[in-house]
Amino acid sequence: MTNVELIDRLEAEDRLAANEWVQLIDSYSTSDREYAAVRAREISHRYFENKVYTRGLIEFTSYCRNDCYYCGIRRSNQSAERYRLTEEQILQCCEEGYRLGFRTFVLQGGEDGYYTDDRIVSIVSKIHTGYPDCAITLSIGEREEESYRRYFDAGANRYLLRHETADREHYGKLHPEEMSFDHRIECLYTLRKIGFQTGCGFMVGSPGQTPETLAQDMLLIRKLHPQMVGIGPFIPHKDTPFRGEAAGTLELTLFLLSLIRIMEKNVLLPATTALGTIAPDGREQGILAGANVVMPNLSPVAVRKKYALYDNKICTGEEAAECRGCLAGRMQRIGYRIVSDRGDWKERKETDGVQV
Ligand code: 5AD
Ligand code: FES
């Protein structure tokens, strides 16, 4: 089968076999990528018209107990500047965000033991009470089922936990031995079971990634069928073991965004900050490839540089006081509009292929 035929079949049947994924990812041409982007864009339009959902991202702690080889805030990085936002500061971010029109707040941080379940529950409850019309997304890593349940009961609706790679061996190349691939995947299933709108995802071009490991990622997404998928290019950080590795490419990231849209038609799919970092118009191109979410930074400008997962991250300077306005302009210039609603996941249209 040609690559265009594979893309058409993915659209019709929502799935490809592992060897077909490998072929597509290994041998795609520029015109295949453009073809996929056109199909992806049409599907996005069918579900979301020209709307782009926004989520206000609050990076509330740069402490992390983990030591992932790719990440700038890994615990071994002595040069990383560490900070924690107080509950009050987090609530101030929400207040500012609400005023700017955000109706989803994403609390993201390293795996920081300071934020015990009680502290997370307290923060979530206060946001939930203060802003009952807003969705609350957590992105705070692996925790126990009981903890996840408490956050859910306190009012958190969504949870992002990138699986990073669906290939066990590859996982072992990205993480120290003490981190468990099985536990991470189990967390995703637990989150779904509890009722969170759940997001998985991975970096594109992470060291050791191959068309075969990416095929596994696509199969996992198909199987987990998450409400959100976060992907962005790997970008090396100077104080990590991967400092000398090549970054992921814009082209492959865009192609994969399109393929994810074609497979998981109604999924919430952000054009990430990392994508905006490897190309000045990366996020715009991401939207044009089928993404439908942007996540402007709401963290206090004073701490933004310190949440450096990778080098040269955008939106960390003084100019970034108002990312929302910046992104609204960027989206408008490509014919899209940022909307203020919560942007919850919606069921599929019945006419769209099979669904399991
Ligand atoms: N480049 C790109 N993305 C990164 N992340 C962590 N480190 C990097 C890096 N060097 C991503 C991971 C993580 C998310 C919060 O950020 O996928 O899940
Ligand atoms: Fe942050 Fe443009 S989105 S400055």
Side-chain angles (χ1 to χ4, degrees):
M1 268 209 213
T2 66
N3 287 341
V4 164
E5 284 167 344
L6 287 179
I7 293 166
D8 283 342
R9 198 146 62 71
L10 178 65
E11 181 171 355
E13 298 177 9
D14 300 340
R15 69 169 87 225
L16 293 177
N19 63 320
E20 295 170 327
W21 279 119
V22 172
Q23 176 193 320
L24 198 52
I25 292 164
D26 207 19
S27 73
Y28 74 96
S29 64
T30 304
S31 72
D32 295 335
R33 179 165 68 74
E34 283 164 359
Y35 181 76
V38 170
R39 299 308 316 137
R41 212 148 58 215
E42 200 211 272
I43 296 166
S44 301
H45 272 263
R46 190 139 38 90
Y47 281 92
F48 313 106
E49 299 154 24
N50 68 340
K51 290 185 218 156
V52 174
Y53 298 117
T54 57
R55 284 61 170 104
L57 182 62
I58 305 169
E59 299 157 335
F60 70 97
T61 172
S62 69
Y63 284 86
C64 191
R65 68 184 170 87
N66 288 336
D67 219 14
C68 309
Y69 301 142
Y70 46 83
C71 185
I73 64 168
R74 64 199 299 264
R75 67 158 186 267
S76 299
N77 181 7
Q78 306 285 335
S79 318
E81 288 185 66
R82 309 291 175 172
Y83 71 91
R84 290 186 178 111
L85 298 185
T86 63
E87 183 172 285
E88 212 166 49
Q89 284 175 307
I90 295 171
L91 291 167
Q92 272 166 15
C93 291
C94 295
E95 191 183 324
E96 165 81 352
Y98 194 87
R99 197 179 55 73
L100 290 169
F102 289 104
R103 295 297 177 268
T104 294
F105 302 117
V106 181
L107 298 181
Q108 184 176 95
E111 293 200 8
D112 180 359
Y114 171 85
Y115 295 94
T116 56
D117 290 347
D118 286 345
R119 286 196 168 108
I120 296 290
V121 163
S122 166
I123 293 164
V124 169
S125 315
K126 287 196 176 127
I127 299 175
H128 185 57
T129 312
Y131 306 93
D133 55 333
C134 291
I136 303 171
T137 305
L138 292 177
S139 179
I140 57 174
E142 295 173 44
R143 302 227 175 175
E144 294 308 312
E145 174 163 353
E146 182 50 34
S147 308
Y148 286 152
R149 277 193 196 281
R150 289 190 58 196
Y151 312 153
F152 188 79
D153 292 340
N157 323 85
R158 306 183 187 148
Y159 204 103
L160 303 174
L161 183 72
R162 288 191 179 178
H163 62 282
E164 312 297 357
T165 172
D167 182 281
R168 183 186 301 280
E169 213 175 296
H170 185 213
Y171 193 89
K173 292 181 189 160
L174 299 177
H175 303 99
E177 211 161 326
E178 77 235 18
M179 289 180 68
S180 155
F181 172 75
D182 291 317
H183 189 253
R184 199 161 184 91
I185 301 293
E186 195 186 307
C187 282
L188 282 165
Y189 283 100
T190 304
L191 289 162
R192 286 219 59 165
K193 182 178 73 182
I194 293 170
F196 282 101
Q197 293 180 38
T198 303
C200 68
F202 57 89
M203 294 174 291
V204 178
S206 61
Q209 187 175 72
T210 61
E212 286 75 17
T213 66
L214 283 168
Q216 293 307 312
D217 290 319
M218 299 308 272
L219 294 179
L220 176 72
I221 292 169
R222 182 64 183 77
K223 186 164 157 220
L224 180 68
H225 198 49
Q227 285 86 7
M228 310 172 279
V229 176
I231 70 165
F234 161 73
I235 304 172
H237 185 290
K238 62 183 187 326
D239 301 318
T240 64
F242 288 164
R243 63 179 66 81
E245 302 286 338
T249 65
L250 176 69
E251 288 72 23
L252 183 55
T253 308
L254 295 173
F255 187 47
L256 291 168
L257 281 171
S258 297
L259 296 177
I260 293 167
R261 167 66 62 215
I262 294 168
M263 176 169 72
E264 295 291 311
K265 313 239 169 348
N266 53 345
V267 78
L268 296 161
L269 188 65
T272 57
T273 305
L275 191 56
T277 297
I278 58 162
D281 62 345
R283 289 169 298 178
E284 290 90 323
Q285 292 203 56
I287 297 296
L288 292 170
N292 71 324
V293 174
V294 289
M295 299 171 67
N297 202 317
L298 263 185
S299 313
V301 175
V303 303
R304 283 193 199 175
K305 274 200 199 317
K306 302 180 188 170
Y307 198 79
L309 307 184
Y310 45 83
D311 288 337
N312 306 316
K313 187 174 168 213
I314 54 168
C315 302
T316 61
E318 289 304 319
E319 84 291 349
E322 228 255 57
C323 285
R324 189 174 199 275
C326 170
L327 271 167
R330 287 170 179 269
M331 294 302 118
Q332 203 188 351
R333 287 192 285 278
I334 57 166
Y336 286 76
R337 67 194 164 93
I338 278 194
V339 293
S340 275
D341 61 87
R342 284 168 49 125
D344 280 303
W345 185 82
K346 296 184 181 74
E347 290 297 333
R348 293 220 358 195
K349 296 188 194 288
E350 273 174 24
T351 47
D352 254 339
V354 289
Q355 186 172 22
V356 181

